[in-house]
Amino acid sequence: QVQLVESGGGLVQPGGSLRLSCAASGSAFGRYAMGWFRQAPGKEREFVIAIGGGGGSTIYADSVKGRFTISRDSAKKTVYLQVNSPKPDATGVYFCAARSSPFVTRSRLEYDYWGQGTQVTVSS
């Protein structure tokens, strides 16, 4: 069983920056692919970015490529989402997710564990 706790959300201006953290429990963290998803009001939860077990590969949504980055710290069992130059449409609840496989995927159906989410609001 894996528990995920997100933190770091808040208000950020367009063109600003923000870092989200996701702390994980459990001993298998290094073997899990980790992803971030976001859900805007009235919309479905959508893929943002993911990193493979051991940090071997990274995939992005086209809308964030070049501006958002993901990293993981195995010693701290934490994955980070660096949000740079966000646009207003990046507003939403950001969820951290873990997959019981080291291979990344964009499909939210293939992630097994989810955090409660943290709100990010992009506004001037």
Side-chain angles (χ1 to χ4, degrees):
Q1 192 74 11
V2 176
Q3 292 186 328
L4 304 172
V5 179
E6 302 97 334
S7 61
L11 176 65
V12 57
Q13 294 185 343
S17 64
L18 192 70
R19 189 176 79 160
L20 307 183
S21 300
C22 172
S25 66
S27 60
F29 174 77
R31 298 194 295 270
Y32 283 49
M34 302 295 296
W36 286 95
F37 291 74
R38 70 183 172 209
Q39 188 165 17
K43 295 188 177 181
E44 291 189 354
R45 195 170 300 185
E46 63 177 0
F47 171 77
V48 177
I49 197 168
I51 187 168
S57 60
T58 304
I59 55 175
Y60 305 80
D62 289 342
S63 60
V64 306
K65 193 170 185 178
R67 296 183 295 111
F68 290 18
T69 59
I70 188 170
S71 60
R72 63 191 299 161
D73 185 329
S74 294
K76 295 182 178 180
K77 297 183 182 179
T78 300
V79 63
Y80 303 98
L81 173 62
Q82 181 67 41
V83 177
N84 294 327
S85 300
K87 301 176 182 178
D89 62 3
T91 293
V93 178
Y94 281 69
F95 295 89
C96 175
R99 185 186 188 210
S100 302
S101 162
F103 302 108
V104 291
T105 175
R106 290 177 172 84
S107 173
R108 60 186 172 91
L109 300 178
E110 298 191 45
Y111 287 84
D112 303 294
Y113 305 99
W114 293 84
Q116 293 300 307
T118 185
Q119 176 71 43
V120 173
T121 302
V122 183
S123 175
S124 56

